[in-house]
Amino acid sequence: MQFEAYGRTDTGPVREQNEDTHLVDSDRGVFIVADGMGGHRAGEVASKLAVDNTHRILVDATDPDETRLVRDTGVEDAADVLRERLRYAMNQASLHVRQQAEGKPDLQGMGTTLVVLVVDGDQAHLAHVGDSRAYLFRDDRLMRLTRDHTVVQQEVDAGRLTPELARMLPHKHILTQSVGSHGPVEPDTTTRMVLPDDVFMLCSDGLTDPLTDQEIEQIMRETPLDLMCHELVEKALGAGGDDNVTVLVVGVESTDA
Ligand code: CA
């Protein structure tokens, strides 16, 4: 499957730094968004380290630890191997971020969210930790593909909180796991079939805080792929978004292209 990808990030009107990092590697079909956290510049450092490390491990098949891990799992299915590799890469990234913070008081406790999309043939593999999200826009409908690793999402899942109320709570960003600060992580991973005209969208909460899924869906319906990131970022800032905002879209070609 051929695809076209775009990414955009904006610091927003309030923050001095952009703690989001994104990566578009169309040649390898690897796409990543990370939203860092920590004092001073620590968030920026964490998200950059996590993205670079994850990407390096995913594309570098010669990593001896990585090949060992795949062999140890004993899995045969290519999709299983890839998801296992995603989990491994994110765990290695997490350890790396943690190690980099050691002995550096200004980086202590730094961490980051991480959402990774790998498009391989007609399959899309996703893995995430934290509350940066992946969506699929298909047949004019927007579908959320990730479940936030947040305390409020746990409450929603348990039926103790409605999604509408969850959006309003001040502690909605407290994560149940993050890359770096927690050391080992347990990413959620999925594989799905890619269809012509699918648009995968990865984003930080700078997009999903000010805009509802319905609003995002409407913008995606009305906007051509090459302008989508720009439009989504502008609408998020226009809706009062004051956080760093990052959006990445991967559009699969039409069959009649
Ligand atoms: Ca954020």
Side-chain angles (χ1 to χ4, degrees):
M1 289 270 182
Q2 295 296 312
F3 48 80
E4 217 176 307
Y6 302 90
R8 187 177 154 87
T9 189
D10 195 295
T11 306
V14 176
R15 309 276 177 107
E16 282 178 22
Q17 283 131 21
N18 192 338
E19 301 189 319
D20 290 356
T21 300
H22 69 290
L23 177 136
V24 174
D25 179 354
S26 294
D27 292 339
R28 309 280 199 140
V30 178
F31 309 93
I32 310 178
V33 168
D35 179 352
M37 62 212 77
H40 307 287
R41 305 196 79 89
E44 211 175 327
V45 173
S47 66
K48 178 110 180 53
L49 280 174
V51 168
D52 288 349
N53 272 273
T54 302
H55 180 242
R56 183 182 53 76
I57 293 165
L58 284 175
V59 301
D60 184 5
T62 62
D63 186 326
D65 288 337
E66 187 266 334
T67 49
R68 178 185 53 72
L69 187 110
V70 170
R71 196 168 63 232
D72 282 353
T73 60
V75 288
E76 301 291 333
D77 183 74
D80 286 346
V81 172
L82 218 138
R83 286 196 305 274
E84 188 55 42
R85 199 158 151 188
L86 277 165
R87 280 191 285 271
Y88 174 75
M90 290 166 84
N91 265 290
Q92 288 299 103
S94 192
L95 291 174
H96 187 80
V97 170
R98 212 175 153 83
Q99 282 162 3
Q100 291 300 307
E102 268 168 28
K104 300 181 192 109
D106 53 331
L107 298 181
Q108 216 62 58
M110 68 175 174
T112 183
T113 70
L114 200 54
V115 56
V116 186
L117 167 70
V118 176
V119 182
D120 184 31
D122 59 0
Q123 289 185 329
H125 311 276
L126 268 174
H128 85 288
V129 167
D131 64 354
S132 295
R133 295 178 181 168
Y135 289 86
L136 172 59
F137 184 70
R138 176 182 283 173
D139 297 329
D140 267 355
R141 300 302 299 252
L142 188 69
M143 202 188 336
R144 200 188 297 180
L145 302 180
T146 51
R147 184 176 296 250
D148 296 345
H149 295 140
T150 57
V151 173
V152 295
Q153 182 62 49
Q154 282 184 340
E155 293 295 297
V156 170
D157 293 344
R160 289 192 285 267
L161 205 58
T162 64
E164 292 73 25
L165 187 59
R167 285 179 65 83
M168 324 280 277
L169 295 175
H171 67 284
K172 65 185 170 186
H173 292 303
I174 297 177
L175 303 180
T176 52
Q177 57 171 333
S178 70
V179 169
S181 27
H182 295 75
V185 287
E186 292 176 34
D188 289 334
T189 59
T190 52
T191 296
R192 60 180 58 240
M193 294 300 291
V194 174
L195 297 179
D197 296 315
D198 277 352
V199 179
F200 290 88
M201 189 267 281
L202 308 184
C203 63
S204 64
D205 63 354
L207 181 76
T208 53
D209 268 0
L211 299 177
T212 64
D213 287 7
Q214 290 76 15
E215 288 168 325
I216 294 169
E217 180 183 80
Q218 189 59 33
I219 296 163
M220 291 180 81
R221 272 186 197 148
E222 294 166 350
T223 315
L225 186 75
D226 58 341
L227 300 176
M228 225 173 242
C229 291
H230 175 85
E231 198 59 20
L232 286 167
V233 168
E234 291 304 310
K235 287 274 166 43
L237 296 175
D242 56 5
D243 194 4
N244 310 140
V245 46
T246 302
V247 186
L248 193 161
V249 293
V250 182
V252 181
E253 69 169 359
S254 306
T255 37
D256 53 37

